[in-house]
Amino acid sequence: KNIFPHSTKQHSLFTCTNLSLLLCAYWLSGSTAMALCLDGRHDTLPEEYQRSQFVFTGMLEQAVDVSSPEDPQGIDHTLYTLKLGRAIKGQLPNRVIIRSDNSSSRFIIDAGAEYLLFMDEYRQEGFIDSCGNSGKLTPERAAFLSGLPNAG
């Protein structure tokens, strides 16, 4: 049974073309993909600050895509190397490595932008909760940092 009884091939083609145009417009806008977060939580900045092992600002120095033995042509994960700006919570080296799995929960870091990152250690690598508040250092995030006692 056809669930779209009034559709025609022309209408379907038109709809697919519109969808393609929308996806192209989104891609050309420079927007990065967002994580798919289904657990319903959204910590505030202070809540995520409290529960995170490390909080810091940093900028991307290098991004390396890594394949897996099961799929040597594909990308399993990306290792981001960031230059530490300010360590706000926790002791960190001058260079921080973050692993971002190539999945719907990946966290993408763009070159040329300063980030505020809430990080935990997982399997000896940095892990960013992509459903959290980590992201480019916006005025809202900067205001939060200025209210912390150890923000310099």
Side-chain angles (χ1 to χ4, degrees):
K1 182 178 177 181
N2 185 355
I3 60 171
F4 300 109
H6 301 294
S7 69
T8 65
K9 286 185 180 183
Q10 182 180 10
H11 178 71
S12 297
L13 178 62
F14 178 74
T15 302
C16 289
T17 302
N18 283 347
L19 179 59
S20 298
L21 289 172
L22 286 173
L23 291 173
C24 286
Y26 178 78
W27 178 72
L28 290 173
S29 73
S31 298
T32 55
M34 300 299 291
L36 176 61
C37 304
L38 301 174
D39 61 6
R41 72 177 159 79
H42 183 71
D43 291 342
T44 64
L45 285 164
E47 289 169 341
E48 190 165 9
Y49 175 83
Q50 288 301 318
R51 75 169 175 78
S52 296
Q53 187 177 1
F54 303 99
V55 179
F56 65 100
T57 62
M59 291 186 73
L60 180 66
E61 281 194 340
Q62 182 180 28
V64 177
D65 292 329
V66 180
S67 298
S68 71
E70 296 83 32
D71 184 12
Q73 304 302 26
I75 297 171
D76 181 66
H77 62 277
T78 301
L79 292 176
Y80 293 108
T81 302
L82 289 95
K83 181 175 184 196
L84 180 67
R86 292 189 304 172
I88 298 155
K89 182 179 179 184
Q91 297 293 319
L92 291 164
N94 289 331
R95 305 273 181 292
V96 179
I97 297 176
I98 295 171
R99 176 188 171 124
S100 181
D101 288 334
N102 187 17
S103 69
S104 61
S105 64
R106 69 183 156 267
F107 186 81
I108 298 171
I109 300 175
D110 296 323
E114 186 174 13
Y115 281 78
L116 170 61
L117 298 159
F118 298 86
M119 184 180 80
D120 292 302
E121 188 174 341
Y122 178 71
R123 292 191 239 166
Q124 299 180 327
E125 295 171 314
F127 171 76
I128 303 296
D129 180 356
S130 56
C131 293
N133 292 292
S134 292
K136 292 179 182 174
L137 191 57
T138 62
E140 176 191 10
R141 290 183 178 111
F144 168 74
L145 287 180
S146 69
L148 294 175
N150 59 344

